[in-house]
């Protein structure tokens, strides 16, 4: 073993036993050998004598790389040597004919032979047919050497297809041209001989070496798409293929390979008349009997693909042909194959079913153009519904797994969800072309499922309900409301039915989802409201023993209440009575978390109750009683918990904090049903109850100032009260904001800023006094937390910490933007805020020039525009803010409006960038209006000169700036910047 072989072995080592330094040296050494001008000779010599597969692979890989990269610079002698040597290898000959000890590469493992095939294809790419016209013809006589050469010949042809010819891979224009050249030459020179060789080999080896025959046919199917179809579709070859498929004693692999060749024939691109003649001539009915067998066998899978492909091509012919040209014949062929298609769909799984469903989707699509379905089509529609129901049905063996939803159950449920997607699309499409048939089928499915035996109807019931649920997707709102067709019968049947298997999780969930989907029908037909309420409120829904079902029922009931709303007023008492036990878990004093079923965190149930009792249709007295009955015990629990907080041990305290969280969430959800108008104008007594509740919940911030989950929940409730109580919340804000400001962590500051943003957006200048108090505190804390320059994003940093800082920065700019855009910019100039002004300006300037998020930069530019408008009176007016005008002209105008846009990283083809650029142009217009010649002198005379802007362009800019067409100014300034970029090469950027 010489040094090169040792180095190759070391470089290929994956055991970890080789020293990394030694491995690096080995890689460097073999890389150096690659640069040797005699590398081809070195590789071929090694291939002659080395039996080490690593060395063989490296040499073949090296040859392949050299041919692809350096073929044009190789000498004719080198090319000839490589060609002869490689051809000797593939023909199972010694490269050196005089040396009997020479290694034969074809005795190596499959991956070596595949790499050798790649090398041959690289030669074909450059040399066929101009330099090496006889490559295929020369190969054919060598096939007599037996299986080893035949196998290699197939590998070469397969590699040729994959590397050069197949359009399944993206190809460049040059590669397409090379593929065309090769195919044309092969068609005129050797394709008939190739096909003849394939036929002879299959005939010779069909019994002795079926695996080799399969290899040949796998190779054949790749070439059928572009060779003369008559070479395959003839008495001899077609008969052979169908014979191979039909003989029971042959291996499945061989029979499946024959089916794949016939599928390639069926799929060949042709005009519809010729295709129909071809399909007729194949007499495909000979294959129909093969669908019966082991559904998981390779043969049945291949036959399924063949028949689906055949049916697809027949259907395509029927779509494209007129009655005179053979439409009737194509429909006859289609009707003939459909029973086999349905059989396969019902009995297979995986890809065969997926392909069949895609075909059926196209088939149903053709029915949309017909005025009335034929008897055959109606029969097919019925069969499609049958097989769809069979395919969506869970296997009973997974019943317990799915009910408990363990790991196996989750996997099976996920698999079925994926499997059902296209099947439900098919169902909806059928429902549109044959609504009556579909509805009758679903009704019969439901009736049949209900009447079957208890122990085996779970899957049937679930499938029948799923069909009804999915069918709703195809219905219009009008059809849903009016209950078109049999829906008027189906929905009451659904509501009134109590399935024996309702305790099953899957059945209960799909039952509730289905009721919710058809809730518009109930809304129009209010006589069914009591039945609907029963389904949600009894053991079928919220009181279901399964936690997941109960939780889902709570959410779906809330959706139903939102839709039915006022129509439920007569039933409020009934609903509240049925929810009493659930609500009691929250309203009873000292409710332990262990007492809670875990099915409900309070949010959905309490939001539902809030929606019901918060309507103005409810009499005030009852509304007050309902609300008081809920809020009073909840608030008492909070007060008791706050009194006991100091005396509790950590474990008790943790449980109490969890209870308080749930109570706040419940009250928060409850309040969503009450509008601001009701709570402040029409029924202020209701508003008073919420104010008292707010007062109590704000005490949580005093007792638990550093418990983040509680702070977050209380903050969320304050948000809610701003919406519910409107301006009457103002007296509570100072206390709330003071407590919320006790924490300065990024996450808490973000939450606080979001609350302030809501207050500003709702009350505008009404919150000026509050802002003047809290802004300087917020600003100084934010400036202390944020880094002076960009937030670090290197891998070494803490990802969560970085994300929080980025979120704080973004929210702070939103805060500044909202202040500026709501006529509150004087807040920045108050006595207390003056100390933060310079830092704010510097941060805004740096950000609008450098921030990676273009939308953040845009917001900062908009802030500057607003500040210029608010703080600057005009060209000759007094300055409200001393030094602001010079900062804007010398800092903002130069750095943001010129230098930052000269940076080529700002891509004008991006929509967000163009929005930013538009704001920058608008800022220039505003600066000109406010500062006049002072702006022009600095921006045009100084800044433009610094970037060597031609005088004529500067003058044009001045003229455009004086005009009123902002779009024209933007277009001109963009072209100006693009010209300056070419001139300056983007070297001026803000520092």
């Amino acid at each position: 073993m010489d040094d090169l072989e040792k180095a190759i072995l070391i470089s290929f080592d994956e055991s970890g036993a080789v020293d990394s330094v030694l491995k690096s040296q080995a890689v460097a050494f073999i890389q150096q050998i690659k640069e040797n001008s005699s590398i081809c000779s070195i590789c071929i010599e090694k291939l002659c004598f080395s039996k080490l597969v690593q060395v063989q692979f490296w040499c073949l890989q090296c040859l392949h790389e050299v041919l692809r990269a350096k073929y044009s610079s190789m000498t004719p002698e080198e090319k000839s040597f490589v060609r002869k040597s490689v051809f000797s290898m593939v023909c199972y000959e010694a490269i050196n004919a005089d040396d009997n000890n020479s290694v034969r590469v074809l005795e190596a493992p499959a991956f070596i032979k595949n790499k050798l095939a790649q090398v041959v294809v690289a030669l074909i790419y450059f040399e066929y047919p101009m330099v090496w016209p006889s490559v295929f013809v020369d190969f054919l006589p060598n096939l007599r050497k037996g299986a080893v050469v035949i196998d290699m010949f197939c590998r070469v042809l397969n590699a040729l297809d994959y590397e050069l010819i197949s359009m399944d891979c993206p190809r460049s224009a040059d590669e397409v041209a090379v593929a065309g050249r090769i195919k044309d030459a092969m068609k005129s020179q050797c394709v008939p001989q190739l096909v003849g060789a394939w036929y002879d080999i299959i005939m010779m080896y069909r019994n002795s070496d079926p695996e080799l025959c399969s290899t040949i046919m796998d190779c054949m199917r790749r070439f059928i798409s572009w060779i003369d179809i008559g070479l395959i579709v003839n008495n001899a070859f077609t008969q052979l293929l169908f014979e191979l498929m039909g003989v029971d004693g042959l291996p499945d692999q061989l029979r499946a390979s024959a089916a794949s060749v016939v599928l390639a024939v069926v799929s060949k691109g042709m005009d519809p008349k010729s295709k129909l003649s071809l399909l007729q001539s194949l007499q495909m009915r000979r294959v129909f009997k093969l669908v019966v067998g082991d559904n998981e066998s390779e043969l049945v899978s291949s036959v399924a693909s063949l028949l689906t492909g055949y049916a697809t091509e027949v259907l395509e012919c029927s779509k494209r042909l007129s009655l005179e040209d053979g439409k009737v014949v194509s429909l006859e062929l289609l009707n003939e194959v459909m029973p086999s298609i349905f059989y396969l769909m019902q009995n297979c799984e995986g890809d065969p079913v997926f392909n069949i469903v895609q075909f059926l989707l196209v088939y149903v699509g053709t029915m949309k153009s017909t005025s009335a379905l034929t008897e055959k089509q109606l029969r097919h529609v019925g069969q499609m519904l049958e097989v769809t129901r069979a395919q969506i049905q869970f296997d009973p063996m997974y019943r317990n797994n799915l009910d408990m939803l363990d790991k196996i159950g989750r996997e099976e449920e996920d698999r079925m969800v994926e499997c059902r997607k296209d099947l439900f699309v098919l169902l909806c499409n059928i429902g549109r072309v044959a609504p009556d048939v579909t509805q009758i089928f679903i009704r019969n499915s439901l009736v049949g499922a209900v009447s079957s035996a208890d122990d085996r109807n779970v899957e049937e019931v679930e499938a029948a309900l799923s069909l009804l649920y999915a069918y709703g997707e195809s219905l219009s709102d009008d059809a849903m409301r009016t209950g078109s067709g049999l829906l008027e019968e189906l929905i009451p049947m659904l509501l009134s039915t109590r399935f024996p298997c309702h305790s099953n999780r899957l059945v209960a969930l799909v039952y509730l989802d289905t009721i919710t989907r058809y809730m518009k029908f109930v809304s129009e037909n209010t006589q069914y409201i009591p039945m609907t309420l029963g389904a949600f409120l009894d053991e079928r829904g919220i009181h279901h023993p399964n936690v997941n079902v109960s939780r889902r029922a709570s959410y779906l009931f809330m959706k139903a209440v939102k839709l039915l709303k006022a129509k439920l007023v007569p039933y409020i008492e009934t609903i509240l009575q049925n929810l009493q036990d659930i609500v009691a878990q929250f309203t009873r004093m000292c409710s332990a978390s262990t007492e809670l079923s875990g099915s409900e965190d309070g949010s959905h149930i309490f939001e539902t109750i809030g929606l019901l009792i918060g309507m103005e249709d409810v009499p005030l007295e009852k509304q007050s009683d309902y609300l008081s009955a809920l809020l009073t015990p909840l608030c008492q629990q909070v007060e008791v918990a706050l009194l006991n907080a100091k005396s509790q041990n950590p474990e008790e305290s943790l449980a109490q904090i969890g209870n308080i969280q749930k109570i706040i969430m419940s009250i928060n959800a409850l309040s969503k049903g009450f509008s601001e108008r009701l709570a402040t104008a029409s029924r202020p007594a209701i508003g008073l109850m919420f104010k008292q509740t707010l007062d109590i919940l704000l005490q949580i911030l005093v007792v638990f100032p550093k418990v983040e989950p509680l702070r977050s929940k209380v903050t969320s409730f304050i948000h809610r009260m701003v919406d519910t109580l409107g301006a009457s919340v103002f007296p509570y804000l100072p206390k709330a904001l003071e407590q919320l400001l006790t924490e300065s962590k990024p996450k808490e500051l973000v939450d606080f800023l979001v609350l302030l943003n809501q207050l500003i957006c709702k009350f505008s200048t009404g919150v000026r006094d509050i802002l003047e108090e809290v802004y300087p505190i917020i600003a100084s804390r934010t400036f202390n937390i944020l880094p002076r320059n960009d937030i670090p994003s290197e891998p070494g940093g803490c990802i969560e910490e970085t994300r929080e800082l980025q979120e704080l920065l973004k929210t702070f700019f939103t805060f500044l933007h909202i202040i500026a855009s709501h006529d509150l910019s004087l807040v920045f100039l108050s006595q207390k805020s003056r100390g933060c002004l310079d830092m704010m300006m510097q941060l805004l300037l740096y950000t609008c020039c450098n921030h990676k998020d273009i939308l953040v930069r845009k917001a900062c530019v908009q802030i500057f525009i607003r500040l210029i408008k608010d703080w600057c009176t005009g060209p000759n007016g007094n300055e409200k803010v001393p030094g602001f005008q010079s900062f804007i002209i010398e800092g903002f105008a130069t750095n943001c409006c010129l230098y930052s846009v000269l940076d080529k990283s700002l891509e004008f083809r991006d929509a967000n960038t163009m929005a930013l650029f538009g704001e920058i142009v608008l800022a220039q217009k505003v600066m000109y209006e406010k500062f006049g010649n002072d702006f022009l002198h600095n921006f045009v005379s100084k800044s433009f000169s610094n970037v060597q802007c031609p005088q004529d362009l500067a003058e044009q800019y001045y003229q455009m700036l004086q005009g009123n067409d902002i779009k024209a100014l933007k277009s001109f300034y963009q072209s100006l910047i693009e010209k300056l970029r070419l001139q300056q090469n983007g070297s001026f950027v803000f520092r």
Side-chain angles (χ1 to χ4, degrees), residues 291-310:
V291 300
V292 181
D294 180 0
N295 299 326
E296 296 181 3
S297 72
E298 189 177 354
L299 173 62
V300 172
S301 178
S302 294
V303 170
S305 298
L306 169 58
L307 292 181
T308 307
Y310 172 77

Side-chain angles (χ1 to χ4, degrees), residues 118-399:
Q118 271 190 306
V119 176
V120 176
V121 170
L123 286 167
I124 291 171
Y125 178 89
F126 291 109
E127 298 189 345
Y128 182 75
M130 304 80 64
V131 179
W132 193 11
S134 62
V135 54
F136 298 106
V137 176
D138 289 347
F139 216 136
L140 293 175
N142 287 282
L143 300 180
R144 290 194 294 266
K145 295 176 181 175
V148 67
V149 178
I150 295 170
D151 173 76
M152 190 64 219
F153 184 51
C154 290
R155 291 178 193 275
V156 171
L157 292 179
N158 289 345
L160 178 67
D161 175 72
Y162 180 78
E163 301 278 337
L164 301 180
I165 295 175
S166 173
M167 287 296 113
D168 291 341
C169 308
R171 306 287 184 200
S172 66
D174 289 344
E175 287 173 329
V176 171
V178 169
R181 182 194 80 209
I182 291 170
K183 287 192 289 187
D184 290 343
M186 289 180 72
K187 285 176 188 175
S188 63
Q189 183 197 50
C190 63
V191 165
Q193 294 95 305
L194 280 181
V195 176
W198 289 336
Y199 180 82
D200 292 340
I201 292 167
I202 295 170
M203 289 295 290
M204 183 180 298
Y205 289 95
R206 58 188 290 185
N207 295 317
S208 61
D209 195 343
E211 189 175 339
L212 182 64
C213 293
S214 295
T215 304
I216 284 287
M217 286 188 281
D218 181 57
C219 181
M220 275 177 66
R221 66 174 178 80
R222 300 167 188 267
F223 286 75
I224 285 172
S225 64
W226 57 271
I227 66 174
D228 178 7
I229 196 64
L231 295 170
I232 306 294
V233 181
N234 52 56
N235 290 336
F237 223 139
T238 306
Q239 183 61 34
L240 173 60
L241 291 170
F242 278 90
E243 189 180 312
L244 291 173
M245 273 194 286
V247 176
D248 285 339
L250 293 175
D252 270 8
Q253 182 189 6
L254 178 61
R255 300 171 72 187
S257 297
S260 68
V261 175
V262 180
L263 174 59
V265 170
V266 164
S267 306
K268 185 174 173 68
M270 299 167 72
D271 69 89
K273 285 184 74 172
S274 302
K275 172 59 73 72
L276 184 59
S277 297
L278 169 66
L279 297 175
Q280 273 185 288
S281 70
L282 291 175
Q283 300 175 38
M284 198 61 74
R285 67 183 68 86
R286 294 179 282 178
V287 182
F288 296 166
K289 63 180 180 179
L290 299 179
V291 300
V292 181
D294 180 0
N295 299 326
E296 296 181 3
S297 72
E298 189 177 354
L299 173 62
V300 172
S301 178
S302 294
V303 170
S305 298
L306 169 58
L307 292 181
T308 307
Y310 172 77
T312 302
E313 296 296 329
V314 169
L315 181 63
E316 192 62 30
C317 288
S318 74
K319 286 163 58 180
R320 296 170 61 188
L321 290 173
S322 63
L323 288 171
E324 297 79 19
D325 290 333
K327 191 180 188 73
V328 174
V329 174
S330 61
L331 289 174
E332 286 174 357
L333 294 178
L334 185 63
N335 291 332
E336 194 177 61
V337 73
M338 288 305 290
S340 297
I341 293 291
F342 291 131
Y343 179 88
L344 286 164
M345 184 174 171
Q346 185 136 7
N347 292 281
C348 291
E349 292 180 355
D351 288 344
V353 172
F354 175 81
N355 295 332
I356 291 170
V357 172
Q358 303 312 305
F359 157 70
L360 292 177
L361 284 168
V362 177
Y363 181 34
V364 172
T366 64
M367 298 179 189
K368 293 177 184 177
S369 58
T370 58
S371 55
L373 300 187
T374 66
E375 190 180 334
K376 284 277 189 186
Q377 287 175 323
L378 286 170
R379 192 180 304 133
H380 290 163
V381 162
Q383 289 174 294
M384 285 184 218
L385 292 170
E386 291 280 358
V387 294
T388 297
R389 182 176 60 189
Q391 280 293 328
I392 68 167
Q393 208 162 300
F394 282 97
D395 190 326
M397 70 179 285
Y398 296 112
R399 186 181 298 175

Side-chain angles (χ1 to χ4, degrees), residues 834-848:
R834 283 277 180 171
C836 302
L837 187 60
D838 182 60
M839 289 188 73
M840 182 188 85
M841 290 299 172
Q842 294 298 337
L843 180 63
L844 284 172
L845 180 57
Y846 181 83
T847 303
C848 69

Side-chain angles (χ1 to χ4, degrees), residues 50-62:
S50 180
K51 291 185 178 181
L52 297 168
V53 291
Q54 296 94 328
V55 174
Q56 291 175 341
F57 184 85
W58 183 85
C59 290
L60 291 168
Q61 178 69 27
C62 193

